[in-house]
Amino acid sequence: MTNEKVVAEKLLQINAIKLSPTAPFTWASGWKSPIYCDNRKTLSFPFIRDYVKSELCNVIFEQFQDADLLAGVATAGIPWGAMAADQLKLPYIYVRPKPKEHGLGNQIEGHFEKGQKTVVIEDLVSTGKSSLQAVDALRAAGLEVVGMVSIFTYGFAVAEKAFADAGVAYKSLTNYNSLIEIAIEKNIVTPDQQSILLNWREDPANWTGA
Ligand SMILES: O=P(O)(O)OC[C@H]1O[C@H](OP(=O)(O)OP(=O)(O)O)[C@H](O)[C@@H]1O
Ligand SMILES: O=C(O)c1cc(=O)[nH]c(=O)[nH]1
């Protein structure tokens, strides 16, 4: 089994994937979707959490050897970035969607030096907007973003294009296609659910419900 499918299998094992075609989920982008991947749940299962953390570290180590700083995307990317930074003994910061409205007014929390080579850690990519917003904030603060790693991506063309346009090298531990393949192999999705997911995937931005 590919690594992508192993990670997807673990997400299914802990019911991190929810299907609700008739009462769709609303995503951060405002898109309606019959599927929701809740990576936050992974934090509650120590052995799977440890596996995902190790996979994140392997990817960071293999793909971005020159990294000297990790940056988590708030909120769901924060714990993963922190765990990976701890394992790899790298400094760590995290990025809020906007500057805090009290206290120090920071958008980026933690200590960093301009020019540090930074890898962004996100739990999940749909449109890529949240991750790229963090990339913009990091670049505006003088950091050099060398790449980004997520646990899960839907693999939408809009996100792939946005990362390419922004010049961000991107790697995800698993993705929607691997998830669906394994869910079908294991009879986790019914034929009806399969056809809804297929139909949704053709035009997710305009899908309104089954
Ligand atoms: O690629 P995008 O279209 O931006 O969507 C993905 C984002 O959505 C989720 O965050 P959300 O804002 O739901 O909240 P959280 O991280 O605070 O849980 C997820 O953690 C990503 O950050
Ligand atoms: O796009 C989102 O907001 C989103 C989708 C998803 O499957 N899981 C999640 O946590 N956020």
Side-chain angles (χ1 to χ4, degrees), residues 6-77:
V6 174
V7 175
E9 188 179 26
K10 290 185 188 303
L11 295 177
L12 288 166
Q13 200 180 319
I14 59 166
N15 289 323
I17 311 297
K18 304 283 175 213
L19 293 179
S20 179
T22 47
F25 302 102
T26 302
W27 283 359
S29 51
W31 291 10
K32 300 287 178 199
S33 163
I35 179 168
Y36 196 81
C37 172
D38 188 6
N39 286 320
R40 302 158 195 88
K41 274 189 92 172
T42 313
L43 296 167
S44 313
F45 296 83
F47 292 101
I48 295 180
R49 181 180 71 208
D50 197 48
Y51 178 83
V52 170
K53 177 187 81 173
S54 298
E55 288 298 299
L56 281 173
C57 290
N58 288 342
V59 171
I60 297 162
F61 187 72
E62 281 165 14
Q63 310 272 327
F64 306 111
Q65 278 178 10
D66 54 348
D68 37 36
L69 178 71
L70 299 188
V73 180
T75 59

Side-chain angles (χ1 to χ4, degrees), residues 28-29 36 40 73-76 122-131:
S29 51
Y36 196 81
R40 302 158 195 88
V73 180
T75 59
E122 174 64 288
D123 75 310
L124 177 140
V125 169
S126 300
T127 64
K129 187 169 170 241
S130 312
S131 325

Side-chain angles (χ1 to χ4, degrees), residues 184-205:
I184 291 173
E185 275 169 32
K186 293 191 172 289
N187 291 320
I188 293 172
V189 286
T190 63
D192 276 0
Q193 288 171 327
Q194 274 181 49
S195 74
I196 288 165
L197 288 167
L198 206 67
N199 171 270
W200 162 77
R201 188 62 181 76
E202 277 171 21
D203 188 10

Side-chain angles (χ1 to χ4, degrees), residues 107-119:
Q107 180 167 10
I108 302 174
E109 299 289 2
H111 174 80
F112 59 90
E113 308 281 344
K114 279 189 197 306
Q116 277 181 302
K117 294 188 187 334
T118 308
V119 176

